[in-house]
Amino acid sequence: MSDSTETLTVDLRDIHKQFYGVKANEGVNFQLRPGEVHALLGENGAGKSTLCSILAGLYRPDAGEMIIEGEPVVFKSPKDALAAGIGMVYQHFRLVPNLTVAENLALGHHNLGVMVDQKDLQRDATQLGERYGLPVDPTARIWQLSVGEQQRVEILKLLYRDAKVLILDEPTAVLTPQESQSLFSTMRQLTDEGRSVIFVSHKLHEVKQVSDRVSVMRQGQMVGEIDTADAEPKDLARMMVGRDLELPTRAEDDSTGQPMLVVRDLRVPGDRGLESVKGVSFEVRSGEVVGVAGVSGNGQRELAYGLVGLRRPTSGSVTLDGVDVTEENVLEHIRQGLAYIPQNRLGMGLSPGLTTEDNLGLKAFREAPYSKGRQLVPAAFKSRGKDLIEQYDIRGVVPGLPIRLLSGGNLQKALLAREVEMQPKILIARSPTRGLDVGATEAVRNSILRERSRGTGVLLMSEDLDELLALSDRLIVLYEGEIVGELTARMATAERLGLLMAGQRDEVAP
Amino acid sequence: MTVRRIIVEPRGLASLRLTLTVPLLSVLAALIIGGIFLWITGDNPLTVYGHMVDAAFGSSRGVSETLISATPLILTGLAAAIAFKMLVWNIGAEGQFLLGAIVAAGIAIAMGDGVPAVLAIPVVIMAGAIGGALWAAVSAVPRVYLGTNEIITTLMLNFIALNLMNYLIFGSNSPWRDPLVSTFPTGRPIPDGASLPRFFNRLDVGIFIAIAVAIFAWYLVNRTRWGFEVRVVGDSAETARYAGIQVPRKILGVFLISGAFAGLAGALFVAGPVGALDPRSLDLGLGFTGIIVAALARLNALAVIPVAILMGALNNAGPSLQSIGVPPEIVTMLQGAILIFAVGGEFFIANRLRRPELPPEVLAGEAAA
Amino acid sequence: MRTGNLRRFIALLLALAMVAAACGSDEGTETTEAGGETGGDPMKVAFVHVSPVADKGWSWAHDQGAQYLAANMDVDITTLEAIPEGSDSQRVFEDLAAAGNELIFGTSFGYMEPMLAAAANFPDVTFMHATGFMSSDNMGNYFGAAEEGRYLTGIAAGAATQTNLIGYVAAFPIPEVLRGINAFTLGVQEVNPDAEVQVVWTSTWFDPPLESTAAQSLLDANADVIAMHQDSAAPGQAAEAAGAKWVGYNTDMTEFAETAWLTAPVWDWGPFYLTTAQQVADGSWQSEAYYGNMADGMVDIAPFGPSVSDETRATIEERKAQIIDGSFSVFPDPIVDQDGTSRELGDIFGMDYFVEGVIGSPTG
C-alpha cells in the first residue's frame, strides 16, 4: 500500500484558495493512491468541500500544483476534470428533475441528446446499475426518486463517463444506515476495479469502517494523514477538533425516580387518518433517559406529536407528573413542564425569520419578565437572550437578525437552551444531533445528560444507534407503531436492537 | 453539469443601510425611467417632476388634498400589511372598504340630524370598522375552519360589495339613495352631525384617526403578546403550534382586524371628503392600492404612513400634469414604474447575486446535511 | 369611464402601447393657442372630461366644441381627460381655478356637486356644468334636447326593422335616458306602429365589452336594429357582425360599422361654448340653466347610412323642419304609457315611465 514507486492517482501540492479574504485552503497537500478509499475528515468549514471542488475543476486554486497520474494539469472547468477521469457527487445534486434517469446519464456526455437511442441508453443504465449494486429504474424521472436513489444516479453518471476518481461529498448525510451500508459495498467494488474514492465525512465510525486512509483537515489546513487501521476514533476526533473531547459519561443507572411521563395504550392517527401509533405503553422516570429506537417512519413522529399535544390521540392516556394531559392542547403540556426538541429544528422548533432573542423567548413569552400583562417587554427579550447566548455558547448571533443564519449546531444549542431553561420535568428529543459536527454533538449530548442528572425524565428518539446506546438507561424499540422490545442499557447491543428494529420481536423479557 | 455564471441566493444579512437605500434607489430609478419616457414623448422631465412636487406639496391646498388622498390609503395599506404579515392573503380590502362605507353611511342616515357629533362620529366610525370586519369574516371563517382559499373568496366578495353598493344607489330606492335627486341616482348626504369636522381646507380629522390607527397597529404587532404570537404564526405556523399558540384563532383575529381597518377607511371616506354613499366617489380601487402601499412599506405599519402620502401625492399630481400637457398615461406609468422598481428592489434586499466562486463553507447558513 | 387602479397597473404592462397612445393623443391634450395678435393674455378656459377625448363619443363631441371655440376666439384652452367623477374631482376644479382659468366646463353629470363646492371657493371664476341641475351665482348648467334627435332616429329605425323588434342598449334608468327611449319609440311607431323597442340596462356609460354583450342579447332575441344610450361604438360593431342595423349616439360613428349605420342623435357644443366664452369675456355672463335644441343647433342627427331609403330621408327631413320651426313637438300631452293608460305629460325632466311600445322596466 505504501509503495512509493507507484504513480499517485492524484497529487495536490501546496494548494491555496481564498474567498473574499477567508482562507479556505492554506497550503494543503493531498495524495490519492489508485484503488483506495481515502477519507477526508473535518468539521464543517474545515475546507474539505473547497479542496474537493478544486480537484473537480469547479474552482481554480490561487496557488499550488495539481498532478494527475504524474502529469501536471490545470482544470478550467469540471469538464476538464472529468476528461482527466475525476468526478464529484456534490451534496446538492445536479440532476434535471424532469428528465429520466437515462437522459440524465446522457446529458452533457452525448451532446446531441435527442439523437441518442433511448433504448440503448436505458440498457446501458440498467447494466451499469446492476454491475455496481446501484439499482435504479432508467425510465423513472428524477423527481420521482428518493434522495438515496438520486445519489445513485449521480454516481452512475460518473461511472457512465468512466471516472477513475470519484469524490463523494458527505454522501451518507442523506442516507439511512442500510443505504449507507450498501453504498459502502459499492465503494469497495469500485476500488477493487482500481478506481479511487475520496470519501468526505465527519462521521468517525463510517470513516473507520470504509476507508483505507484518512486525511484530516482543520481550519483550512491539512493536519494529518494516517492509515485507517492505525487510527483510533479518539485520536481522529482530537485531530479534527484540535482538543480532547469530553465524551459523554453517563452516571450509572439508578432509575428509582418518580414516573414523570406515563403512557398507557396510546393510539395516535397518522397523516392520512390510518393509525400510526398502535397502543403503546411505557414510562419515563425522573432522572432517566429512555431511548426510542426504530427505523424512521415506524410511528416516531406521531408518538412525539401525541405526547406533546400536537396531535390528539384516539385513545389511551398521557400523564405528565401525575396530571392527565391526553386531551389538552400544546400550551397545557408546556405548562405541565414538557420540553420538546423536534427533529425539524428550523421550521418547528425555531421560527426561522425571528431573531435569536425572540426564539429564545418563544416558550416563556407569556410570563414575566418577557411580558407584563398583555404587553411585551422588549428589554427582557434582549437581556435574557444575551444571557442565554453567553451561557450556552451560541455563536454567530447578530442582534436583530433572523435565527436562520446560524449554523446547524448553533441552532440546536439555541433550541436546547430555551427548552432546558424552562426547567422541564420531561424532555422529549428527536434526533437531536442529526447533521451536527462532533463539537456540537458533544455539547448537545452533554446537555441531555445534565438534564438527566437534574432529575428530568428524558425521552430520546433517534436513528443513531451509537447515540442511543451511549445515552440511554433503557431502550424501547418501535416497529410499525408498536413497541416490539424493551431493553436495559446493559442488555442492549447494536445487533439486538437491529433485529428488533427489523420487526423481530424480542423473546427475552427485559 | 452546468456551472451557472450567476447564482441568486437568499441574502443572509440585509443591513439596515441597504434596507433604507434600496427603496430610495428604486424610486429614483423609477423617476429616471419615467423621465426617459417623458423625454421621448417630448416633455422636459425636470419641469414635469417639479410640477408634480408643486401640485402635491407646493400649496396649502395641495398639501391638504394630498393628505385627503392618503387617509384611506393609510388604512387600506394597514389592512393589507397586517394580513400579509401573517400570510393571510386578504385581497378583499376593496370590498371591506365598501362595506365599511355602506354600513357607516347607513348608520349615519338612520341616526339622522338629531344626534350630537361627539356621539354620532364615534358610532359611525365604529360601524364602518365592524362592517369591514364582518365582510372579512365571510372569508375568514371558512378559511380558518374549512381551509378555503381566501384569495378567491375575498376577491369575489369585492365584486359582491361593489354590486351591493351599486344596487343600493342605482338599482333600488334604498335609504342610502337621495330621494330628492331624480336626474341621476346619488347617495343621500351624511347628516352634518356625523360628518367629520374639517380643519384645513377640505382636510378633515380622518387623517389623525388614520395615523393613530397606524401607530396602534405598530404597537399591536410589535409590543403586545398577541402581536408576538402573530409574528410567530406569520413566520412559521408550525413553530407557532409547537409553541402552544392557537393558530386558527390568531388567523381569524388578524383577518378581522384587517377587515376592520379597511372598513374604517370606508367610514372615514364617506363621513369625510365624500359625504354620501356615492359609487362614483368610492369605486377608486383604494383597497387594491392599499396592497401596493403595504408592499412598498415592507409591511411595516409605521412606514405605511409616508408611503400612503407618496401614493396620494402621485395620484393627485396626475390631473394637474395634464394642465401642462403631459398625457394622463404617463402619470399612470410613473406610478407603475415606482411599484415595479420597489418590488425589484425588494428582491435585491432579500437576495444577492454572486459569481459561483463562493465555497459552501463561507456562506452563511451552510447546509450541513 | 374611470379606470380602476388595478386596471391601471395592468395597463402599465402595455407600456409600449401606451407610449404610442400618448403620442397619438397629443392634439387633444395640448394647450391650444388660437392665433390672435391682440394685446394682453388670451382668456384661459378649461375643460374637464370623464373619459379620454379620443373615445369618439360623449367627451369627443365636447372636445370638438372646444376646438371650435379655439378656432373662433383668442383663448388658451386646457383640457383634462379621464378625470373620475365624484368627490375627488373637486380638487381638479380648484386646481384649474387656482391656475388662472376664468371659465371652466365640466362635461359629466358626476362633477356637479364637487363643482358646486369648488365654485363656492372661487367666486371670481365661472363654472359651467353639463347635464346637471345645480347652479349658483358663478355656476351655470347646460344641456340639450336630445329627444328631438332621438325621435328622428326612431323614424329611421322603424323604417329599417323587418322583425319589428328594435333593441335599445341603455345606461341607467334615469329621466334623461328614459326621455330618449320614449322619444325614440314614438319616432319608431310613427312609421311602423307594429314595431316594439326592447330595453336592456347596462349600469354603465362606457364599458365596451358589456355594451357589446347587451347588444348581442338583444340580437339573439331577434332584434334587427340596435339603438343605444352608451358612449362606445361596441353595440354597433355587434350589430354589424350580426347583419343588423344600428342607431348610434353622440357623434357620427359611421367608420365603426359602415353597413349597419343608419344615423344617430349628435351634439354640436361649439357655438354654445363660443357664446359662453364671449359672455364671460365681456362680462355679460349670467348664471342660467341653458337647454339647447335643434333650432339653435346644439342637437342634430348624423349623416345617414347607405341603407336609409330616400323616402325615409324625406320623412325625417320634413319632421326635422317642423321641429325647428316649432310646429311639431316630440311628446304629445297627454301621453300613453307602457300600460296603455293615458297620462299627463308632466315635467319631462322628471320622466320616470315608458311609453307604449317599450318592452322593459323603467326602474332598471
Side-chain angles (χ1 to χ4, degrees):
Chain A
M1 256 188 149
S2 48
D3 181 0
S4 56
T5 60
E6 187 184 28
T7 312
L8 288 167
T9 306
V10 173
D11 189 3
L12 300 181
R13 294 181 187 167
D14 199 25
I15 299 291
H16 287 261
K17 182 71 187 173
Q18 280 199 25
F19 295 101
Y20 301 124
V22 179
K23 288 172 180 160
N25 280 180
E26 217 180 336
V28 174
N29 293 307
F30 177 80
Q31 295 171 340
L32 182 68
R33 296 172 192 158
E36 72 168 350
V37 174
H38 192 138
L40 190 54
L41 196 60
E43 292 209 84
N44 292 337
K48 302 170 303 224
S49 294
T50 305
L51 186 68
C52 292
S53 300
I54 287 171
L55 180 56
L58 188 63
Y59 304 146
R60 279 208 254 175
D62 298 337
E65 270 184 287
M66 298 170 65
I67 298 159
I68 311 296
E69 306 276 3
E71 298 288 325
V73 295
V74 175
F75 294 152
K76 287 183 184 149
S77 74
K79 231 176 213 167
D80 293 352
L82 213 50
I86 300 172
M88 178 160 171
V89 175
Y90 295 87
Q91 286 188 43
H92 301 285
F93 302 144
R94 306 186 167 202
L95 300 167
V96 183
N98 279 328
L99 295 186
T100 65
V101 170
E103 285 164 345
N104 267 281
L105 292 191
L107 208 67
H109 189 48
H110 301 288
N111 280 327
L112 300 168
V114 279
M115 306 291 285
V116 178
D117 184 18
Q118 290 284 333
K119 286 266 155 51
D120 285 353
L121 262 180
Q122 289 169 8
R123 198 192 53 238
D124 289 356
T126 311
Q127 283 176 354
L128 213 56
E130 276 169 7
R131 190 165 137 209
Y132 291 101
L134 298 166
V136 58
D137 173 7
T139 60
R141 296 188 188 277
I142 296 301
W143 58 264
Q144 299 170 316
L145 302 180
S146 72
V147 181
E149 288 171 315
Q150 292 185 23
Q151 188 181 67
R152 283 182 221 153
V153 178
E154 284 279 16
I155 296 171
L156 283 176
K157 233 168 87 175
L158 298 182
L159 294 173
Y160 192 66
R161 288 157 181 69
D162 198 25
K164 296 287 188 292
V165 176
L166 289 92
I167 307 168
L168 309 180
D169 192 0
E170 306 215 11
T172 57
V174 296
L175 299 182
T176 63
Q178 287 78 3
E179 285 177 320
S180 295
Q181 290 308 319
S182 124
L183 174 66
F184 294 158
S185 60
T186 301
M187 283 160 66
R188 277 284 147 233
Q189 203 178 339
L190 292 171
T191 51
D192 287 349
E193 288 183 357
R195 300 179 205 269
S196 312
V197 175
I198 300 175
F199 174 58
V200 180
S201 180
H202 55 228
K203 291 182 187 166
L204 297 177
H205 65 277
E206 289 178 356
V207 167
K208 187 80 181 138
Q209 184 192 345
V210 75
S211 70
D212 301 308
R213 281 196 305 151
V214 190
S215 289
V216 184
M217 290 189 76
R218 188 171 75 237
Q219 291 171 358
Q221 293 177 325
M222 194 59 84
V223 292
E225 191 203 277
I226 183 170
D227 280 345
T228 309
D230 304 337
E232 283 301 316
K234 216 170 64 188
D235 301 333
L236 290 175
R238 191 189 315 110
M239 285 165 80
M240 270 168 76
V241 183
R243 63 183 164 86
D244 277 319
L245 287 175
E246 288 172 51
L247 290 173
T249 47
R250 186 167 50 85
E252 255 320 290
D253 180 10
D254 54 347
S255 56
T256 51
Q258 291 271 101
M260 298 305 270
L261 171 67
V262 179
V263 180
R264 288 285 167 256
D265 196 30
L266 190 71
R267 291 171 187 275
V268 186
D271 290 343
R272 300 208 176 114
L274 295 173
E275 197 164 76
S276 286
V277 176
K278 302 167 180 167
V280 163
S281 302
F282 63 91
E283 309 184 343
V284 181
R285 293 172 173 274
S286 171
E288 79 168 341
V289 175
V290 173
V292 180
V295 176
S296 94
N298 273 284
Q300 292 94 327
R301 189 168 70 102
E302 291 80 2
L303 175 59
Y305 283 8
L307 295 180
V308 303
L310 279 166
R311 190 166 292 179
R312 181 74 45 96
T314 39
S315 70
S317 72
V318 179
T319 312
L320 290 180
D321 195 19
V323 180
D324 186 334
V325 292
T326 320
E327 299 287 310
E328 300 291 347
N329 61 22
V330 177
L331 185 54
E332 206 44 47
H333 285 71
I334 295 171
R335 291 201 169 125
Q336 288 304 323
L338 180 112
Y340 176 40
I341 295 170
Q343 185 161 23
N344 181 4
R345 272 161 227 153
L346 210 53
M348 183 165 213
L350 300 166
S351 198
L354 266 56
T355 62
T356 305
E357 293 85 342
D358 281 351
N359 268 291
L360 287 170
L362 195 57
K363 282 272 173 82
F365 72 93
R366 295 175 182 89
E367 278 115 41
Y370 291 105
S371 54
K372 216 193 229 166
R374 286 163 177 242
Q375 264 179 302
L376 226 50
V377 184
F381 278 86
K382 242 175 232 162
S383 65
R384 288 291 295 140
K386 204 173 149 225
D387 290 350
L388 291 176
I389 289 164
E390 255 168 46
Q391 194 182 331
Y392 288 88
D393 190 29
I394 304 164
R395 292 182 208 172
V397 178
V398 181
L401 289 183
I403 198 167
R404 68 180 144 80
L405 305 174
L406 300 187
S407 71
N410 284 304
L411 287 175
Q412 193 68 319
K413 283 192 217 164
L415 181 45
L416 253 165
R418 183 189 67 211
E419 295 303 298
V420 165
E421 266 306 288
M422 63 185 273
Q423 308 227 326
K425 296 178 193 163
I426 279 285
L427 172 66
I428 297 177
R430 293 195 61 209
S431 305
T433 61
R434 198 166 86 149
L436 303 189
D437 62 34
V438 263
T441 301
E442 174 200 16
V444 169
R445 290 185 181 168
N446 283 328
S447 293
I448 289 173
L449 290 178
R450 261 201 308 281
E451 275 309 292
R452 173 182 179 268
S453 46
R454 206 179 56 79
T456 309
V458 180
L459 187 70
L460 173 67
M461 308 170 88
S462 177
E463 283 151 43
D464 183 340
L465 290 186
D466 296 342
E467 175 164 287
L468 286 172
L469 291 168
L471 298 182
S472 310
D473 298 299
R474 275 189 305 133
L475 283 144
I476 55 181
V477 182
L478 267 187
Y479 178 73
E480 292 191 343
E482 293 178 65
I483 293 180
V484 292
E486 186 168 344
L487 308 168
T488 60
R490 242 167 290 142
M491 298 165 64
T493 60
E495 290 71 35
R496 247 180 113 176
L497 283 174
L499 284 174
L500 287 167
M501 283 163 68
Q504 305 205 6
R505 275 183 188 273
D506 201 358
E507 299 307 326
V508 190
Chain B
M1 172 185 331
T2 44
V3 181
R4 277 171 289 171
R5 291 278 166 249
I6 290 187
I7 292 175
V8 179
E9 65 189 4
R11 185 192 289 279
L13 315 155
S15 70
L16 184 65
R17 207 179 46 143
L18 199 66
T19 311
L20 291 176
T21 50
V22 168
L24 290 176
L25 286 177
S26 305
V27 172
L28 193 67
L31 291 178
I32 290 170
I33 297 292
I36 292 171
F37 276 117
L38 288 170
W39 180 71
I40 292 172
T41 56
D43 295 292
N44 179 343
L46 292 179
T47 316
V48 170
Y49 290 148
H51 195 87
M52 284 173 77
V53 173
D54 193 46
F57 302 108
S59 62
S60 79
R61 205 185 59 256
V63 171
S64 61
E65 290 294 335
T66 295
L67 294 178
I68 288 170
S69 297
T71 303
L73 292 179
I74 291 174
L75 289 166
T76 54
L78 288 173
I82 197 166
F84 290 8
K85 188 146 218 145
M86 202 155 156
L87 308 186
V88 168
W89 304 111
N90 174 18
I91 54 170
E94 184 73 24
Q96 292 141 19
F97 171 88
L98 294 178
L99 252 288
I102 291 170
V103 174
I107 294 283
I109 290 164
M111 286 192 303
D113 274 321
V115 185
V118 281
L119 184 64
I121 290 174
V123 167
V124 165
I125 289 173
M126 285 309 296
I130 291 168
L134 289 179
W135 200 244
V138 177
S139 298
V141 171
R143 147 78 207 259
V144 171
Y145 295 105
L146 301 172
T148 55
N149 183 330
E150 74 273 22
I151 296 181
I152 294 170
T153 56
T154 52
L155 192 62
M156 297 314 291
L157 286 169
N158 287 341
F159 292 111
I160 295 174
L162 181 61
N163 283 310
L164 175 63
M165 174 175 70
N166 286 339
Y167 173 74
L168 292 176
I169 301 302
F170 294 128
S172 66
N173 286 315
S174 75
W176 282 267
R177 182 165 169 177
D178 192 342
L180 300 178
V181 181
S182 63
T183 358
F184 193 89
T186 356
R188 189 195 292 255
I190 301 283
D192 285 346
S195 298
L196 300 179
R198 296 179 175 182
F199 65 96
F200 178 47
N201 298 323
R202 287 209 305 142
L203 184 61
D204 57 60
V205 295
I207 182 72
F208 297 126
I209 298 173
I211 290 173
V213 170
I215 294 168
F216 167 75
W218 181 86
Y219 182 84
L220 194 64
V221 170
N222 293 290
R223 289 289 182 270
T224 66
R225 244 170 56 190
W226 185 87
F228 183 74
E229 296 182 322
V230 164
R231 279 186 283 142
V232 178
V233 174
D235 186 54
S236 166
E238 192 84 333
T239 305
R241 267 190 289 279
Y242 160 83
I245 295 167
Q246 299 209 336
V247 176
R249 206 181 283 178
K250 291 289 160 313
I251 293 178
L252 192 63
V254 163
F255 217 139
L256 296 186
I257 287 176
S258 170
F261 286 168
L264 182 58
L268 294 184
F269 211 46
V270 285
V274 177
L277 187 70
D278 177 21
R280 291 159 310 192
S281 303
L282 292 168
D283 181 20
L284 298 176
L286 293 170
F288 289 118
T289 312
I291 294 173
I292 295 161
V293 169
L296 286 175
R298 310 190 71 222
L299 309 188
N300 180 310
L302 293 181
V304 160
I305 299 172
V307 171
I309 291 173
L310 177 73
M311 291 297 285
L314 266 176
N315 191 48
N316 292 357
S320 65
L321 281 188
Q322 285 191 51
S323 314
I324 58 165
V326 181
E329 292 85 352
I330 291 291
V331 181
T332 307
M333 277 179 41
L334 271 181
Q335 290 175 323
I338 289 176
L339 174 72
I340 285 172
F341 276 90
V343 173
E346 178 72 8
F347 176 82
F348 284 102
I349 293 177
N351 298 283
R352 64 177 150 201
L353 305 180
R354 68 174 174 92
R355 308 284 295 277
E357 273 280 295
L358 267 182
E361 287 94 330
V362 181
L363 296 175
E366 181 197 334
Chain C
M1 294 181 84
R2 53 158 304 279
T3 351
N5 271 306
L6 194 65
R7 270 176 282 167
R8 283 189 212 168
F9 284 111
I10 290 167
L12 178 89
L13 299 177
L14 305 166
L16 286 176
M18 291 202 303
V19 172
C23 297
S25 64
D26 269 352
E27 72 268 56
T29 54
E30 261 172 19
T31 299
T32 316
E33 300 212 21
E37 288 167 19
T38 50
D41 292 334
M43 181 167 84
K44 292 183 77 176
V45 180
F47 286 85
V48 180
H49 304 297
V50 71
S51 54
V53 296
D55 70 357
K56 268 283 185 177
W58 177 259
S59 296
W60 187 82
H62 284 283
D63 195 54
Q64 293 295 305
Q67 291 185 24
Y68 177 86
L69 167 61
N72 291 287
M73 186 178 167
D74 182 19
V75 288
D76 175 355
I77 292 181
T78 301
T79 301
L80 303 189
E81 50 187 322
I83 302 298
E85 299 179 311
S87 63
D88 249 19
S89 60
Q90 184 182 337
R91 178 185 61 248
V92 176
F93 291 116
E94 293 191 349
D95 281 347
L96 288 168
N101 288 288
E102 293 169 59
L103 172 59
I104 300 171
F105 292 93
T107 65
S108 192
F109 178 82
Y111 295 145
M112 181 170 66
E113 287 170 64
M115 185 183 253
L116 192 69
N121 290 338
F122 288 87
D124 296 336
V125 176
T126 302
F127 291 85
M128 285 298 287
H129 179 240
T131 75
F133 56 87
M134 287 181 174
S135 61
S136 68
D137 282 352
N138 61 326
M139 173 172 153
N141 59 54
Y142 61 101
F143 202 12
E147 55 270 22
E148 296 175 351
R150 292 277 179 200
Y151 186 93
L152 299 180
T153 59
I155 295 175
T161 180
Q162 307 283 318
T163 61
N164 285 342
L165 185 66
I166 296 166
Y168 201 113
V169 182
F172 293 96
I174 59 171
E176 175 196 343
V177 179
L178 296 179
R179 212 155 63 224
I181 294 169
N182 288 340
F184 177 82
T185 306
L186 292 170
V188 167
Q189 299 204 326
E190 177 184 333
V191 293
N192 187 348
D194 295 334
E196 291 183 304
V197 176
Q198 182 162 5
V199 175
V200 168
W201 300 109
T202 61
S203 293
T204 175
W205 297 116
F206 182 80
D207 184 342
L210 184 60
E211 294 171 33
S212 180
T213 309
Q216 193 57 50
S217 74
L218 291 163
L219 292 164
D220 291 344
N222 212 25
D224 63 350
V225 179
I226 296 295
M228 65 176 204
H229 197 137
Q230 298 288 163
D231 287 350
S232 94
Q237 286 161 328
E240 175 102 344
K245 298 298 175 203
W246 174 41
V247 173
Y249 179 47
N250 286 321
T251 61
D252 181 359
M253 292 177 165
T254 313
E255 60 187 289
F256 294 104
E258 285 178 11
T259 323
W261 180 254
L262 295 175
T263 180
V266 296
W267 298 100
D268 182 5
W269 304 101
F272 175 73
Y273 287 155
L274 180 60
T275 312
T276 307
Q278 282 163 344
Q279 285 171 351
V280 171
D282 65 24
S284 64
W285 183 86
Q286 294 283 318
S287 173
E288 62 165 340
Y290 185 85
Y291 199 62
N293 52 30
M294 226 161 226
D296 70 10
M298 190 182 276
V299 178
D300 201 349
I301 57 171
F304 295 112
S307 67
V308 181
S309 69
D310 289 344
E311 188 195 341
T312 307
R313 290 178 197 221
T315 313
I316 293 172
E317 289 302 340
E318 191 191 336
R319 274 285 177 239
K320 184 176 171 183
Q322 288 172 337
I323 286 171
I324 290 173
D325 69 21
S327 61
F328 179 79
S329 164
V330 168
F331 294 115
D333 190 6
I335 190 167
V336 182
D337 74 12
Q338 200 177 16
D339 304 329
T341 356
S342 179
R343 57 190 293 167
E344 258 183 57
L345 178 61
D347 175 15
I348 62 166
F349 298 113
M351 195 175 259
D352 59 357
Y353 55 88
F354 276 149
V355 297
E356 197 170 28
V358 182
I359 307 169
S361 159
T363 55

